[in-house]
Amino acid sequence: MGVAWAEFGLLDEAGFGSYEKRALVTLAVHGVSDAATLCREGDIPTSKIYAAMEKLARLGLIEVRRSRPQLYAALPPEPLIERLNALARERAEAFATASAGLRAAFEKLPRKLKGSQARVDLALGADSHIKRHVSRLAGARRRVLSYLESGDINAMRTLRDQGFDVLKAIARERERSGVEHRVIFGFSDRSAPRLLEFLREFSASTRTLSGVRYSGEMGHPFHVVDDDIVILALDHPFVGEGRFASLLVQDAGLAAQLTEGFEQLWQRALKNLREIRAWPGR
């Protein structure tokens, strides 16, 4: 048929088997066809075609015409893509709803590592820091406290540009669950302009935060999740992207100490963004 099958690879990611994909594309070429033609033109075994067409019809991706022989009709591209998008959204929403049970299943698994070995996880590189550790904020059930600096801004922006917007994912879960999430942005005279730019770029994700303040007292970035998980970011000026690793530590004592320090800084921090614009040298 002269079909560039590589152009339809997204159907594989959408959960369609090889024969279902070939049947859907082959039917789109013919418009209306019977099973025998689809098998011949799409190189689909006769034993597989009817199950494939039943699934496509059940999902609303094709039309079935009651005739002898039975005929199948393709949808035009626009409604077909709209239906595929709707199915993807339905699957994502169903997975999000069921993920609580999946979390419980993982949490009750027996652990072979004992003591402190099971309570610390090291993520190397900004990519792993965001995907393995910061993304954990989306699963918070009670509260998140975050102290962020320029290294966090750079890492989140870089991953966003690569297609992984962790702030958007966290904001979406926060809106759904209503979990408290307060953030203090630490800045210096030099990093203040980058912070303002970051806040403009990510305004859709940050406007839903429970509270935001700004501090000129530079420290070390961290997150406290649910009062027992701590994420500590590690930066070094000699490393190209700055952030070279992070630690995830499950320790209620450490979390309590950082929470106390966060609350003290929260009381001293600036409440209004205009105060940053008035920072010396701006």
Side-chain angles (χ1 to χ4, degrees), residues 174-188:
R174 182 170 59 248
E175 289 182 329
R176 184 184 65 82
S177 64
V179 168
E180 175 192 1
H181 188 176
R182 285 184 287 151
V183 176
I184 299 175
F185 288 100
F187 68 96
S188 65

Side-chain angles (χ1 to χ4, degrees), residues 21 139 179 239:
K21 179 179 73 173
V179 168
V239 178

Side-chain angles (χ1 to χ4, degrees), residues 63-240:
E63 295 178 354
V64 179
R65 297 185 177 177
R66 306 303 176 185
S67 59
R68 290 185 179 275
Q70 184 166 274
L71 296 177
Y72 305 97
L75 298 181
E78 190 62 30
L80 174 63
I81 297 305
E82 289 181 1
R83 180 57 185 153
L84 286 169
N85 286 334
L87 290 171
R89 286 192 295 270
E90 291 171 7
R91 284 195 296 271
E93 291 171 359
F95 184 87
T97 300
S99 63
L102 185 61
R103 180 191 295 115
F106 272 106
E107 289 177 346
K108 70 181 183 181
L109 286 173
R111 308 295 180 186
K112 292 188 177 181
L113 292 177
K114 302 298 183 182
S116 61
Q117 292 180 340
R119 298 164 60 190
V120 179
D121 179 65
L122 171 66
L124 293 175
D127 188 278
S128 292
H129 160 65
I130 295 294
K131 293 182 177 179
R132 279 175 52 187
H133 289 174
V134 178
S135 61
R136 293 280 294 267
L137 274 59
R141 287 170 283 181
R142 293 188 297 277
R143 180 175 69 170
V144 179
L145 304 175
S146 300
Y147 173 75
L148 307 178
E149 293 185 353
S150 59
D152 303 277
I153 290 172
N154 295 337
M156 288 186 285
R157 179 180 283 157
T158 298
L159 267 292
R160 187 277 312 272
D161 294 342
Q162 296 174 6
F164 188 84
D165 192 340
V166 70
L167 282 185
K168 185 176 181 179
I170 294 170
R172 185 167 54 243
E173 287 302 308
R174 182 170 59 248
E175 289 182 329
R176 184 184 65 82
S177 64
V179 168
E180 175 192 1
H181 188 176
R182 285 184 287 151
V183 176
I184 299 175
F185 288 100
F187 68 96
S188 65
D189 181 33
R190 178 177 299 178
S191 66
R194 290 198 299 272
L195 173 57
L196 293 172
E197 183 181 352
F198 172 85
L199 292 171
R200 286 193 294 269
E201 286 184 23
F202 290 86
S203 61
S205 299
T206 58
R207 69 165 59 101
T208 61
L209 289 166
S210 307
V212 179
R213 294 192 179 181
Y214 313 92
S215 174
E217 302 178 39
M218 303 300 287
H220 298 282
F222 66 87
H223 304 273
V224 178
V225 185
D226 291 338
D227 301 322
D228 63 351
I229 293 177
V230 172
I231 298 170
L232 300 171
L234 304 174
D235 300 314
H236 198 285
F238 290 173
V239 178

